[in-house]
Amino acid sequence: MGALAESSRMSVQWESALGSFYPHSDTSRIVEEIRKVQHKHTLKPSLVRDANTWPIPEHLNCIHLVGVVPFKFKSSTFNAPVRIILPKNFPRVAPEAFVVPPDDMIIAVNHQHVDLQGRCYVAYLSSWSGNSSILGLCEALTAAFNNAPPVFKRSSSTQPSAAQVTQPAQSRDTQNPYKSQFPHQMHQLPQPVIAVPVKQAQTNLPTLSTQPATSLPPIIAPPPQSRPSPPPSPQPIRKSEKEIQVEKLTQKTTEHLNGWRNASSTSEHELAYSLDQLQRRANSTSQVVANLSTIRNELMKALEALEDYEQRVLEQQALLEYQKPLTIDEQVEPVDVRTRQLLDLVSEDKSISDAMFWLNKALEAEKIDFETWFKSTRSLGKEQYLLRALIVKIVEKSL
């Protein structure tokens, strides 16, 4: 319970400090990437502020991921101790990875991807972009370490036996924090050991050669009376003031060069990221400009059509101002003979209906007698019936 509480406290500590130490970065993405790495690898995040913890000043007040990444060598699985540092402008700037061996290990000499200071050089870092991630960096480190182990055990002063070279001591396996522990591998995994090459034909493990101790011939002691006086002890060689100054100048120059190299590497990643963002924005801007140009051409065509329509409307309005008012018959102009005939028949039908209406009014007012009304109504009814039958025929023909 105590370890769990301490882990939760450390998690809250580095998460709460993200906003102040990464003000120009997407902190939600940083937290998400760290969670993904913790789900797959034993890398613990911590906020490093003390120079005693990490000596490079540019990496202080940054998040460090400390732990191991697995790799395979000669069909066996090992763990490489690493430290991944997230710079101030992460994720726009690529992180930095270091191999940090414990006291009983050393970094491999002339390694393709790791220098003697432990800095890792992989193509994934040099091609860092907005789609890159810390989990992808861990996979790239694993792929690089599969070709050649980045660390080896320190060799002892005495020459080990062949059994010691091929199989490390079992008592140290339980104490080694970098020992790989996988559920599907219950046996102990061997580790590369730096030792004198003994029976090199039987083992292919990488070793560093040391000169074996040669046997010395026996020394015959002289008689007591002829024993010479002991030689004077050698005096320490004192360095001149010039040599001391040269060493100090060399040390400072090396420190400045290392700092400049780190700064230039960060600037290079920032410039590459900025160039990529500018290129994307340029492409997006070009597309927007092309779309706006198309819309502008369509609007110009619509404007020309509206101006032409407005001109025709003004011309018609000017003509109407100088013309006399049209009668209803002039306003209704049939398009063909059938339509004209239909209009005439409908007009005549309406006239007969009006006549019959007024005949009814006259009968009610006793202006005419019943016989007159009956004859007139009967005649008009027959005529209206024939008109309406003709109208129906014309309509059916039109359909």
Side-chain angles (χ1 to χ4, degrees), residues 126-247:
S126 59
S127 60
W128 184 269
S129 64
N131 298 326
S132 304
S133 63
I134 307 175
L135 188 60
L137 173 59
C138 294
E139 295 175 355
L141 292 175
T142 298
F145 298 159
N146 286 340
N147 298 327
V151 291
F152 293 95
K153 269 192 171 182
R154 293 182 182 274
S155 61
S156 59
S157 59
T158 60
Q159 180 174 345
S161 63
Q164 291 174 332
V165 175
T166 56
Q167 297 181 354
Q170 297 295 329
S171 60
R172 292 187 178 181
D173 291 342
T174 57
Q175 301 175 359
N176 188 359
Y178 305 102
K179 189 70 176 179
S180 176
Q181 296 178 358
F182 293 92
H184 62 279
Q185 293 183 355
M186 302 303 294
H187 61 279
Q188 297 292 335
L189 298 174
Q191 297 181 353
V193 180
I194 297 177
V196 180
V198 178
K199 295 183 180 180
Q200 190 67 23
Q202 300 178 2
T203 177
N204 294 323
L205 293 177
T207 60
L208 292 180
S209 299
T210 59
Q211 295 296 331
T214 59
S215 60
L216 299 177
I219 301 175
I220 302 175
Q225 63 275 10
S226 62
R227 180 179 299 173
S229 60
S233 59
Q235 297 293 331
I237 301 175
R238 292 187 177 183
K239 295 182 180 179
S240 63
E241 186 67 23
K242 182 178 180 179
E243 292 176 344
I244 295 175
Q245 293 296 331
V246 168
E247 289 183 358

Side-chain angles (χ1 to χ4, degrees), residues 332-347 394-395 398:
V332 179
E333 182 67 24
V335 296
D336 53 13
V337 177
R338 185 175 294 175
T339 305
R340 180 181 294 278
Q341 184 181 6
L342 184 62
L343 287 176
D344 292 339
L345 292 174
V346 170
S347 300
I394 294 175
V395 172
S398 300

